[in-house]
Amino acid sequence: MNSAHESLMIALTDQIGTHKKILVGFSGGLDSTVLLHLLVRLRQQSLQAGCDKQNSMTLRAVHIHHGLNAKADDWVAHCRQICADWQVDFHAERVNLDSRKKGIEAAARDARYQVFRHALQQDEILVTAQHLDDQAETFLLALKRGSGPAGLSSMPSSMSFAETTLIRPLLNVSRAELESYAQEQGLEWVEDDSNQDDRYDRNFLRLNIMPLLNQRWPHFSQAVSRSAGLCGEQEQLLDELLDDLLNSLITPEGAIVIPPLETYSEAKRNALLRRWFNRYGVKMPAREQLKRIWSEVALSRQDAEPCFRLGQFDIRRYRQQLWLVSQYQSLAGMVIEWNTEQELPLPDGLGTLFLSESEGNKGDTVNIRAPKNNERVTIRFGIQGNISIVGRQHSRHSKKLWQELGVAPWLRERTPLLYYDDKLIAALGVFVTKEGQLLAEDMGFSVQWQKILPRTILPHA
């Protein structure tokens, strides 16, 4: 075999290391076909080296059917046959793309990686076939967007993904080398004719710009890859230098405290905020967005309830901290009838209400007076006006009361309010009004709110 091609096997072996369970993203194109063929050879080598089948490498391939090309069904059939020939478990997944927000390229990429997340099994790693030319294109696209070192570092050869590892073992291999290997091995692959449509940014670079750059500077892609690697090193160094400080600024709930950030330079503050966003998987804000988050949210007047929308999250300020809050459906004004003999599913993933045995007011269980026979029981959301609650002599305006009880603004409209007719009886888990107070002569009524926690604030909260 060609010595250059043999070096592909050596590089692949080094990067796969001791991993034995491998999921391959397999489009059927040149790149992923070469990658899968190399992995099949590596699996065979492990068997020839005397590994028993129980401890040998297992390969699975997943193909994403985007539904964008008339030939897509043929590609699925091709990939299935290749995997059958090479004794690789095969799975195809069809996805529906929503390109309204990000465009078709980004939507397709997001859909692919969502499938990969769901397909991965325990102790399995993901291996994908991006190569040297892809890396150069990614760098130039980041440059076009005005990205900083994090964006310009492009694609790492190895990274954490979905509680496992994503490896890109071909990042130092050019497309020309892959094509040479495929021809030598007699491999067959599919050609996606949409790759010739230069309306897409990546195709425009691949078809019109990269050939000129490589003609002028034959090693341009290698030089770009080195630059991307250097940007990655700078980001890693900053990660290491700022990690302890960032940990000291993040609260147990995942918020980041504002006052210390005010004492730092803009560059240092922005670096810390970017790493805070990255820690919780939030889309990285542009420089102008960071400025607005700081000026419009962190530094807004003290009595304001500022909010900045970023991807699927809202950035909010509460008690001199910045919070990442999942976006929710507005429930203000909603009225839900409750037949208390049955459980009541709450809207927008808030959980369930049901009656429980009386045990006193503990946690999310509240003891109140039972409704009278003619009183209508409803659940509502959002409240304005003065409220008199048990344990307080005087009434307080709802906004002041929420503040005193430590309920964050975004949770106030998501706290179920129990009403008998038009009388507020309780904010479940927070307070009981004097109208709902359980007196000695009253029949007790114990309501349990079984919450669904993961969507409350930060992903880990």
Side-chain angles (χ1 to χ4, degrees), residues 101 277 282-283 285 289 292-293 296-297 306-316 324-330:
K101 293 183 179 180
F277 290 129
V282 180
K283 177 185 176 183
Q289 289 177 309
R292 291 185 59 195
I293 289 168
E296 297 175 17
V297 181
C307 175
F308 186 92
R309 182 148 293 187
L310 184 66
Q312 300 300 310
F313 290 88
D314 289 332
I315 316 302
R316 294 179 177 267
L324 292 167
V325 182
S326 299
Q327 291 173 15
Y328 296 112
Q329 169 190 343
S330 174

Side-chain angles (χ1 to χ4, degrees), residues 253-267:
E253 297 79 17
I256 187 168
V257 294
I258 294 172
L261 292 173
E262 295 181 271
T263 67
Y264 303 144
S265 68
E266 182 180 4

Side-chain angles (χ1 to χ4, degrees), residues 242-344:
L242 294 175
D243 190 59
D244 288 343
L245 176 57
L246 181 62
N247 288 336
S248 72
L249 297 174
I250 294 179
T251 70
E253 297 79 17
I256 187 168
V257 294
I258 294 172
L261 292 173
E262 295 181 271
T263 67
Y264 303 144
S265 68
E266 182 180 4
K268 185 174 182 178
R269 181 176 68 241
N270 286 348
L272 287 162
L273 288 173
R274 287 191 182 100
R275 281 157 180 78
W276 177 57
F277 290 129
N278 185 64
R279 181 169 293 191
Y280 296 105
V282 180
K283 177 185 176 183
M284 195 58 60
R287 187 175 184 180
E288 185 59 34
Q289 289 177 309
L290 266 182
K291 287 183 177 180
R292 291 185 59 195
I293 289 168
W294 185 249
S295 63
E296 297 175 17
V297 181
L299 300 184
S300 64
R301 68 181 192 275
Q302 291 303 306
D303 61 343
E305 295 179 3
C307 175
F308 186 92
R309 182 148 293 187
L310 184 66
Q312 300 300 310
F313 290 88
D314 289 332
I315 316 302
R316 294 179 177 267
R317 190 195 65 201
Y318 178 60
R319 293 187 169 177
Q320 286 299 295
Q321 299 167 358
L322 289 176
W323 291 73
L324 292 167
V325 182
S326 299
Q327 291 173 15
Y328 296 112
Q329 169 190 343
S330 174
L331 303 177
M334 184 175 290
V335 178
I336 306 171
E337 298 273 356
W338 184 19
N339 174 2
T340 56
E341 294 180 0
Q342 299 176 350
E343 293 185 355
L344 178 67

Side-chain angles (χ1 to χ4, degrees), residues 401-421:
L401 187 59
W402 288 124
Q403 289 173 346
E404 292 171 7
L405 296 173
V407 180
W410 57 89
L411 296 179
R412 295 169 191 173
E413 289 189 359
R414 298 184 62 78
T415 299
L417 304 174
L418 179 67
Y419 278 77
Y420 296 165
D421 291 335

Side-chain angles (χ1 to χ4, degrees), residues 361-379:
N361 293 339
K362 295 181 180 179
D364 296 315
T365 301
V366 59
N367 277 346
I368 52 180
R369 70 170 178 85
K372 298 172 183 176
N373 291 335
N374 59 346
E375 285 184 316
R376 170 177 170 240
V377 180
T378 60
I379 297 296

Side-chain angles (χ1 to χ4, degrees), residues 32 57 69 76 122 136 138 167 172 188 206 223 245 257 276 309 338 353 360 365 367 379 388 454:
S32 61
M57 179 184 294
N69 195 295
V76 173
Q122 187 174 1
T138 300
I167 296 178
N172 293 320
E188 296 181 359
R206 183 176 299 152
L245 176 57
V257 294
W276 177 57
R309 182 148 293 187
W338 184 19
L353 299 183
T365 301
N367 277 346
I379 297 296
S388 294

Side-chain angles (χ1 to χ4, degrees), residues 366 368-369 375-390 396-399 401-402 405 412 415-437:
V366 59
I368 52 180
R369 70 170 178 85
E375 285 184 316
R376 170 177 170 240
V377 180
T378 60
I379 297 296
R380 309 181 189 186
F381 298 90
I383 186 173
Q384 294 290 331
N386 291 329
I387 305 172
S388 294
I389 69 171
V390 174
R396 298 285 281 166
H397 190 274
S398 55
K399 184 174 181 178
L401 187 59
W402 288 124
L405 296 173
R412 295 169 191 173
T415 299
L417 304 174
L418 179 67
Y419 278 77
Y420 296 165
D421 291 335
D422 289 323
K423 295 188 289 287
L424 176 62
I425 300 301
L428 299 182
V430 184
F431 61 76
V432 175
T433 68
K434 291 182 178 178
E435 290 279 0
Q437 185 174 11

Side-chain angles (χ1 to χ4, degrees), residues 64-115:
I64 290 82
H65 186 317
H66 295 98
L68 298 174
N69 195 295
K71 300 177 182 177
D73 290 338
D74 295 335
W75 297 341
V76 173
H78 168 85
C79 291
R80 180 176 283 110
Q81 185 59 55
I82 290 291
C83 287
D85 293 343
W86 293 350
Q87 298 181 325
V88 175
D89 287 344
F90 176 77
H91 172 68
E93 185 83 21
R94 182 156 190 158
V95 296
N96 295 313
L97 302 182
D98 182 359
S99 61
R100 290 172 296 179
K101 293 183 179 180
K102 299 182 178 180
I104 197 67
E105 290 178 284
R109 181 187 182 279
D110 288 351
R112 284 195 298 274
Y113 281 91
Q114 190 64 25
V115 170

